[in-house]
Amino acid sequence: MAATAIFARRLGTSVKDAGAKKGSGWFGPHMAAASQAILERIPMVDLTIEIRDSRIPFSSAYGDLDHLPSSSRRMIVLNKMDLADRSQTKKWVKHFEEQNCICYAVNSHNKDNIKELLLFIQAQIREIKGNQSNYTATAMLVGIPNVGKSAISNSLHQIGRISAAEKGKLKHAVISPFPGETKDISSFKIASHPNIYILDTPGVLASKSLDVEMGSKLALTGAIEDYLVGEYELAQYFLAILHSSDDYKHWEKLCTTENDRSPIDHTEKLSVSSDSDKRRQKQYSTDHTQDFIVRDVRQALFKTISSFNGNLETEKEMMGLIEAQFAVLHEAFRVLPESGEDGCRRVATKLLNLYRTGRLGHYTLDPVPRNFQ
């Protein structure tokens, strides 16, 4: 949609401007140093594992790997598959395989997924080592910020621990929700007999490699800290994407159920509601992750989109719809409307969190190349 593209370009331009600011942007000296350290270690590891975000399989590519010799052993892991469109993820995996690149999709918080990934990595290592039977191998995770490298290394480490004696001694990677928090390269044991170690590296995102479209997607998925481009602007972009998708149509039943319920039904429901449920809703009335608040948010978004009669191709009318949605989202999130700009920022932050945790649908922002659709 034309209006959605305008929001994307505006946000992407802000991302590039933020990256160009010396000392205060998202590409600092630590990223340059980390990039050099990673490149120096790649020839010394057996396998380089590039972690990408399943929502943006193209935009989240780690650019420094483009200059590696073709003989270097590498694979791509599409993390956060639980947040992306499942059918699109399958097509992206097929696309990479057609490019002669080993690819695997995973949810780093799913134990069974990680077990399968560990077995897959072990198989790759065995193939690399050939006839060797007793060896120590090293794989290195690389990627841009906030794609889940530390979450994957932790999960592999936990699954791969062999004995109870080892269990209490092995360290864990520190996981942060903020991009760019990993500063050093750390080693974690993920298998024994033979021994396999994994290196968790800092996220590196070079400003010179981004175009405005990639920048907008990276910002929306959390690869760049929100304050650098603005939470409100990010939320606007998400709502523009929501309007052009079909995900919100799944929430129609929420409104139908609400509208079909008679006053008697409603009274009966209230009368049978447990005191504990009422206390919970009162106690956590501002916790936007509660199911009853997520339901209210979905209802508010569905009603505003489905009742809109304007033209979403024009920026002005799209903006009008977004402003109307923010007005009703204040109520859905229990944020006082008179709280002004701070209230809008709080609503935007809550909305972004629900999107990034999959509570408002599953979106793949990078289209699969045409010949694989």
Side-chain angles (χ1 to χ4, degrees), residues 15-188:
V15 169
K16 288 189 71 71
D17 291 345
K21 292 180 181 177
K22 292 185 177 180
S24 61
W26 46 263
F27 184 78
H30 73 280
M31 277 199 185
S35 177
Q36 184 60 35
I38 291 168
L39 288 174
E40 290 173 355
R41 281 170 175 76
I42 284 178
M44 296 183 283
V45 301
D46 297 286
L47 179 66
T48 300
I49 304 174
E50 182 189 1
I51 311 299
R52 298 193 189 185
D53 189 323
S54 290
R55 297 167 294 178
I56 47 172
F58 175 75
S59 299
S60 59
Y62 185 73
D64 285 347
L65 295 184
D66 293 341
H67 307 295
L68 286 182
S70 57
S71 58
S72 297
R73 292 302 299 259
R74 56 184 288 200
M75 63 178 283
I76 293 174
V77 170
L78 298 180
N79 190 27
K80 306 186 182 184
M81 62 178 288
D82 53 311
L83 303 180
D85 182 299
R86 186 174 294 273
S87 64
Q88 293 296 300
T89 299
K90 289 180 179 178
K91 291 177 181 178
W92 269 107
V93 170
K94 181 180 179 182
H95 165 70
F96 287 123
E97 290 174 345
E98 291 286 343
Q99 301 298 310
N100 296 319
C101 183
I102 302 166
C103 185
Y104 201 92
V106 71
N107 169 8
S108 62
H109 301 293
N110 183 295
K111 189 175 181 180
D112 291 335
N113 277 180
I114 293 299
K115 284 182 178 178
E116 293 167 0
L117 175 62
L118 178 57
L119 291 173
F120 191 81
I121 291 173
Q122 289 175 307
Q124 298 303 312
I125 295 291
R126 283 196 298 271
E127 184 178 333
I128 292 169
K129 292 298 185 180
N131 295 327
Q132 298 181 50
S133 57
N134 188 20
Y135 56 80
T136 294
T138 304
M140 184 163 67
L141 304 183
V142 300
I144 67 171
N146 214 29
V147 289
K149 294 184 301 298
S150 294
I152 287 177
S153 62
N154 256 353
S155 297
L156 287 170
H157 169 66
Q158 291 169 0
I159 295 295
R161 289 180 301 191
I162 302 302
S163 68
E166 271 183 34
K167 197 170 184 179
K169 299 178 182 179
L170 299 179
K171 62 183 180 179
H172 299 269
V174 176
I175 301 175
S176 170
F178 304 106
E181 289 297 303
T182 303
K183 304 294 184 184
D184 303 307
I185 296 177
S186 302
S187 175
F188 302 91

Side-chain angles (χ1 to χ4, degrees), residues 128-364:
I128 292 169
K129 292 298 185 180
N131 295 327
Q132 298 181 50
S133 57
N134 188 20
Y135 56 80
T136 294
T138 304
M140 184 163 67
L141 304 183
V142 300
I144 67 171
N146 214 29
V147 289
K149 294 184 301 298
S150 294
I152 287 177
S153 62
N154 256 353
S155 297
L156 287 170
H157 169 66
Q158 291 169 0
I159 295 295
R161 289 180 301 191
I162 302 302
S163 68
E166 271 183 34
K167 197 170 184 179
K169 299 178 182 179
L170 299 179
K171 62 183 180 179
H172 299 269
V174 176
I175 301 175
S176 170
F178 304 106
E181 289 297 303
T182 303
K183 304 294 184 184
D184 303 307
I185 296 177
S186 302
S187 175
F188 302 91
K189 190 175 185 179
I190 63 170
S192 298
H193 314 299
N195 295 322
I196 302 178
Y197 292 84
I198 201 118
L199 301 181
D200 180 29
T201 65
V204 176
L205 180 62
S207 57
K208 63 183 179 181
S209 65
L210 296 186
D211 60 33
V212 292
E213 185 177 354
M214 290 171 59
S216 63
K217 296 172 183 177
L218 290 166
L220 183 59
T221 51
I224 297 163
E225 291 192 83
D226 292 347
Y227 76 89
L228 290 171
V229 291
E231 292 88 349
Y232 184 62
E233 289 73 14
L234 286 165
Q236 286 180 327
Y237 181 40
F238 164 66
L239 288 174
I241 291 172
L242 177 67
H243 300 158
S244 61
S245 76
D246 291 328
D247 282 62
Y248 73 90
K249 295 178 182 178
H250 301 306
W251 306 332
E252 182 177 8
K253 61 184 179 181
L254 297 175
C255 300
T256 302
T257 302
E258 188 72 21
N259 292 335
D260 289 347
R261 189 183 298 134
S262 69
I264 294 177
D265 292 335
H266 186 60
T267 303
E268 289 175 351
K269 182 176 181 181
L270 288 177
S271 67
V272 299
S273 294
S274 68
D275 289 339
S276 61
D277 285 342
K278 293 176 182 177
R279 284 197 299 271
R280 178 180 61 81
Q281 292 202 11
K282 185 176 181 180
Q283 182 179 358
Y284 300 107
S285 62
T286 58
D287 181 357
H288 65 279
T289 64
Q290 291 291 310
D291 289 343
F292 66 94
I293 291 185
V294 175
R295 179 202 62 211
D296 290 352
V297 169
R298 291 172 176 172
Q299 284 182 344
L301 292 173
F302 176 82
K303 288 178 180 178
T304 51
I305 300 173
S306 58
S307 62
F308 180 72
N309 295 318
N311 182 6
L312 291 177
E313 294 284 347
T314 66
E315 180 186 7
K316 183 178 179 180
E317 297 203 38
M318 173 79 84
M319 194 66 213
L321 173 57
I322 289 173
E323 289 175 351
Q325 288 176 319
F326 260 84
V328 296
L329 286 173
H330 272 79
E331 180 179 353
F333 282 123
R334 281 65 169 172
V335 175
L336 295 175
E338 58 266 26
S339 50
E341 289 186 10
D342 182 61
C344 283
R345 186 188 61 78
R346 287 166 58 197
V347 168
T349 300
K350 292 173 185 288
L351 186 68
L352 288 170
N353 176 262
L354 292 185
Y355 154 67
R356 289 170 178 167
T357 53
R359 304 296 296 277
L360 297 179
H362 303 88
Y363 305 86
T364 299

